[in-house]
Amino acid sequence: MLDTPRLARRCALAATACAVALGTLAPAASAGTIRYTAAPSAQYSVDNDHGILKVTFNTCATAGSTQTVGFTLDTEITGKTSGTGTFKVLKSDGGSLSFDPPTLTLAPGSQQTQVTVTVSTPTPRPQGAFFRFKIDPQNGIGIGEGPGVMIHFGCVLSPGPGTVSAQQAEPCPTTATARREPNKNDGKDGKDGNPTDGDAGKGNDDRQTPAPQPEQTTAASSDAPQTCAPASVPASAPDPTPAPSFSEASLSAPTAGVFASLASRQARGPARCVATPRRLRVRKGETTQLVITIESNDVAIRSAAVRVLGAGVHRTARTNRDGQAVISVRPTRTGRLAVQSDVCFGVDRLRVLGAKDASSGVSPAFAG
Amino acid sequence: VTRAVRTLGRGGALAAAACGLVLLASGDRADAKRLSTPGQLSRWAFVEYATVARAKPSPKARPVGRLKLRTEDRTDELTLAVEERRGWVRVRLPQRPNGRTGWVRRWTLGPWHTTRDWVRVDKRRLRLTLVRDGTAIFSAPIGIGGRGTPTPAGEFYVRNRLVLDSPTGLYGPLAFGTSARSPTLTDWPRGGVVGIHGTNQPGLVPGRPSHGCIRLRNADILELGELLEVGTPVTIRS
């Protein structure tokens, strides 16, 4: 027989012992060091499990735009003299960083300092952008450098055709207008006779179909300027590079909100950023739900435009926070479905099989 | 922690194990979902990937049969679902012994199709009845297998529909293949499938003239052909 009160008492004992053990194993307070904490934002994910603070943006950056990240620096200085600390950029691959304030005054004892880092990505880069920096404190004040901060963008796209220049950008009347309304056609199944409904296998869709405008990748800090257009604020770097024009940039890097024509050179080969289910069979006349993941440089891209075209299907959608777009298709004929995104060049293709048929005209061999 | 575990002792471990077993058992019941109730709502699907059916919803369970992509009559294979549990589906297998079911992975099947129909065959009264949503919408006299070649009893389903070139032939103008097999004609060509079909000898219906198939008069099979779809459950009662 089980003694229930006795069992409960033993469970409580076990839990207490576990908690004490875990508390003992917890690291001591980091005296004499610097800890970095990023302000939470839906625009990026933060990982600081291993000492280095990793900030990974889950949307593509737009070339010529800036993104800001708000940091909190917790400093614990064991010495008795105050000093200064400057930001040391260890890696700047695909853009530049600027800091506000550019120099920190570090006083003895505990201190919290708010710092805004502005990241500018002047040129489109399919391989993304990567930055790393840390505080370089003045010698002799009793503090180490600390592990530092990494900022990662999965991709940097050319500005789309709808992007306004920095001079045209105006402050938004309300916060809600910071996000553009999606295209009205987004999420609707294309009609069978849709003029843009080209056969993906033949690649006869020569037009660049503008996708719904991407969600704005604006500043994470609350005091950053907001504009009504997607991220197009000029970089505040000392020598900002003007945003390249759409036509130039689209030749070498994907353009935000634009799909490469299926017949074009950019649509050749598989799309490296598009992951479509391999085990899925799409059949003519059957509704099939496609869950398409968009990833670039190991970063799941949020708000990326995805298009499925061919075999009587023309659907576009945007990825969610996990980088996944869910599109239901019902092909009206056999052939191939072309799946592409504005994040990368190339096309992923899915074969559309014929409908299953349980009727036949053959003579049976029943038992009779 | 080690001390706490020791303190829990044998009684604590026993209690935890009992709790775990109860939770597992209730979880098994909770995640099982019945997929077919003949005459109300039944689900069937085409076979997308040829697969092995297993005795339990586990890849290590004993194989009990196979699902192929095509039937003996060169139509696409389909199967009737019975229940679903944790990504596995228990389906009726179109093979001997009659009435066998097995578990297959859900992804090996296509999307679900539903039917509210149910074919009931009464071997004693020699009648076939089509039930839709609990109401009989069609009934006709039938001919079934004789004493040496009986029509098997049990739960089956309609596998395919065959439109025949010569309406005056042995099987009449239309035939439906079922998942039932003749229990005696094991060496019959293409496995001895039990069909529901017309006849060129209408005078033998009703009766027991066949080798296991269910024969209807040609006018009746044509009327049934307007109503009956593949995937419909078939119950043959002795």
Side-chain angles (χ1 to χ4, degrees):
Chain A
M1 289 292 288
L2 294 173
D3 184 359
T4 312
R6 198 172 166 193
L7 177 64
R9 211 165 39 240
R10 285 178 177 179
C11 281
L13 261 174
T16 313
C18 195
V20 169
L22 285 175
T24 314
L25 293 174
S30 53
T33 56
I34 302 173
R35 280 186 301 160
Y36 302 86
T37 316
S41 169
Q43 300 293 331
Y44 51 75
S45 60
V46 178
D47 175 19
N48 55 4
D49 287 342
H50 306 293
I52 298 176
L53 183 71
K54 295 177 184 172
V55 177
T56 306
F57 275 79
N58 51 21
T59 53
C60 290
T62 308
S65 68
T66 60
Q67 282 76 32
T68 56
V69 184
F71 287 98
T72 304
L73 294 174
D74 291 315
T75 51
E76 177 81 29
I77 297 180
T78 53
K80 293 180 180 177
T81 56
S82 61
T84 58
T86 53
F87 289 97
K88 185 162 75 174
V89 178
L90 304 172
K91 187 165 187 176
S92 178
D93 189 6
S96 58
L97 301 176
S98 62
F99 303 93
D100 181 24
T103 308
L104 300 176
T105 304
L106 302 171
S110 298
Q111 181 183 333
Q112 272 201 346
T113 314
Q114 303 292 328
V115 178
T116 304
V117 181
T118 306
V119 186
S120 68
T121 46
T123 54
R125 284 167 60 91
Q127 65 269 39
F130 186 82
F131 306 92
R132 186 170 174 197
F133 68 91
K134 60 165 67 170
I135 296 275
D136 186 13
Q138 191 181 346
N139 283 335
I141 61 172
I143 190 168
E145 288 187 351
V149 178
M150 290 163 57
I151 299 177
H152 184 202
F153 289 91
C155 43
V156 183
L157 303 180
S158 310
T163 308
V164 296
S165 67
Q167 288 74 23
Q168 294 167 329
E170 294 176 358
C172 292
T174 61
T175 312
T177 53
R179 179 177 172 161
R180 280 198 170 190
E181 286 298 316
N183 191 323
K184 286 181 180 178
N185 290 329
D186 192 11
K188 288 181 182 177
D189 198 351
K191 301 290 182 188
D192 296 342
N194 193 321
T196 59
D197 181 9
D199 190 334
K202 295 175 182 173
N204 56 1
D205 180 24
D206 291 327
R207 280 167 291 181
Q208 301 252 336
T209 309
Q213 286 302 305
E215 192 174 317
Q216 187 175 356
T217 51
T218 51
S221 57
S222 57
D223 56 349
Q226 289 189 332
T227 60
C228 292
S232 57
V233 183
S236 56
D239 184 18
T241 308
S245 68
F246 163 63
S247 55
E248 286 173 13
S250 62
L251 295 175
S252 59
T255 302
V258 173
F259 300 108
S261 162
L262 292 179
S264 68
R265 193 161 47 89
Q266 283 94 350
R268 282 184 199 162
R272 292 190 173 186
C273 67
V274 177
T276 49
R278 290 292 114 198
R279 193 179 269 171
L280 190 72
R281 284 193 178 173
V282 184
R283 290 193 178 274
K284 170 189 167 185
E286 283 182 2
T287 302
T288 307
Q289 196 175 59
L290 305 175
V291 180
I292 299 157
T293 305
I294 305 299
E295 280 187 349
S296 182
N297 299 306
D298 297 330
V299 178
I301 303 296
R302 178 187 178 195
S303 295
V306 182
R307 179 171 75 169
V308 180
L309 187 68
V313 174
H314 183 206
R315 299 286 307 267
T316 57
R318 287 205 170 277
T319 54
N320 60 13
R321 60 189 300 172
D322 299 323
Q324 290 183 332
V326 181
I327 300 178
S328 286
V329 296
R330 190 183 171 91
T332 56
R333 57 179 182 269
T334 57
R336 281 181 180 271
L337 287 177
V339 183
Q340 56 184 157
S341 171
D342 65 344
V343 171
C344 62
F345 291 139
V347 173
D348 225 21
R349 295 183 193 275
L350 286 171
R351 193 174 165 199
V352 179
L353 304 170
K356 286 269 190 182
D357 190 7
S359 60
S360 166
V362 301
S363 182
F366 294 156
Chain B
V1 174
T2 314
R3 189 176 170 187
V5 171
R6 280 184 193 148
T7 313
L8 276 171
R10 198 183 299 166
L14 267 174
C19 283
L21 278 176
V22 168
L23 283 174
L24 273 175
S26 62
D28 266 7
R29 278 198 299 272
D31 60 8
K33 182 185 172 190
R34 189 182 177 89
L35 294 177
S36 291
T37 304
Q40 294 178 17
L41 183 69
S42 301
R43 290 181 174 87
W44 62 273
F46 284 108
V47 179
E48 285 287 352
Y49 295 87
T51 185
V52 174
R54 300 191 177 272
K56 291 179 182 175
S58 163
K60 293 176 182 174
R62 178 173 54 90
V64 292
R66 294 189 71 87
L67 279 181
K68 297 178 181 175
L69 291 176
R70 308 277 276 176
T71 66
E72 301 81 2
D73 299 309
R74 285 177 275 169
T75 60
D76 289 315
E77 183 68 280
L78 58 94
T79 185
L80 186 70
V82 180
E83 64 176 314
E84 185 171 21
R85 186 185 296 172
R86 298 196 304 265
W88 289 78
V89 185
R90 188 156 71 92
V91 296
R92 297 209 174 277
L93 299 174
Q95 64 178 46
R96 290 190 180 87
N98 280 314
R100 176 166 279 190
T101 60
W103 291 89
V104 297
R105 297 270 197 188
R106 173 66 187 94
W107 55 261
T108 60
L109 307 176
W112 292 132
H113 297 257
T114 58
T115 178
R116 297 183 178 279
D117 294 353
W118 181 21
V119 173
R120 288 193 305 191
V121 176
D122 192 331
K123 286 167 67 177
R124 190 174 301 167
R125 295 174 55 204
L126 298 177
R127 284 201 83 81
L128 179 146
T129 307
L130 179 63
V131 178
R132 180 171 293 170
D133 283 329
T135 308
I137 58 168
F138 172 84
S139 184
I142 55 172
I144 60 170
R147 189 169 295 170
T149 55
T151 302
E155 302 289 334
F156 309 101
Y157 61 91
V158 178
R159 282 171 84 201
N160 51 20
R161 174 193 174 98
L162 306 171
V163 181
L164 305 174
D165 290 337
S166 86
T168 55
L170 182 67
Y171 301 113
L174 183 63
F176 291 97
T178 72
S179 61
R181 309 275 174 148
S182 168
T184 52
L185 301 177
T186 52
D187 56 350
W188 196 266
R190 300 190 214 168
V193 173
V194 171
I196 302 172
H197 55 79
T199 180
N200 57 357
Q201 295 175 299
L204 300 179
V205 177
R208 299 178 188 271
S210 78
H211 294 109
C213 282
I214 298 162
R215 295 186 190 177
L216 282 84
R217 296 190 184 108
N218 286 350
D220 290 336
I221 192 70
L222 287 173
E223 188 181 346
L224 182 65
E226 296 288 320
L227 302 169
L228 185 59
E229 293 177 344
V230 294
T232 303
V234 177
T235 301
I236 302 176
R237 290 189 296 186
S238 52

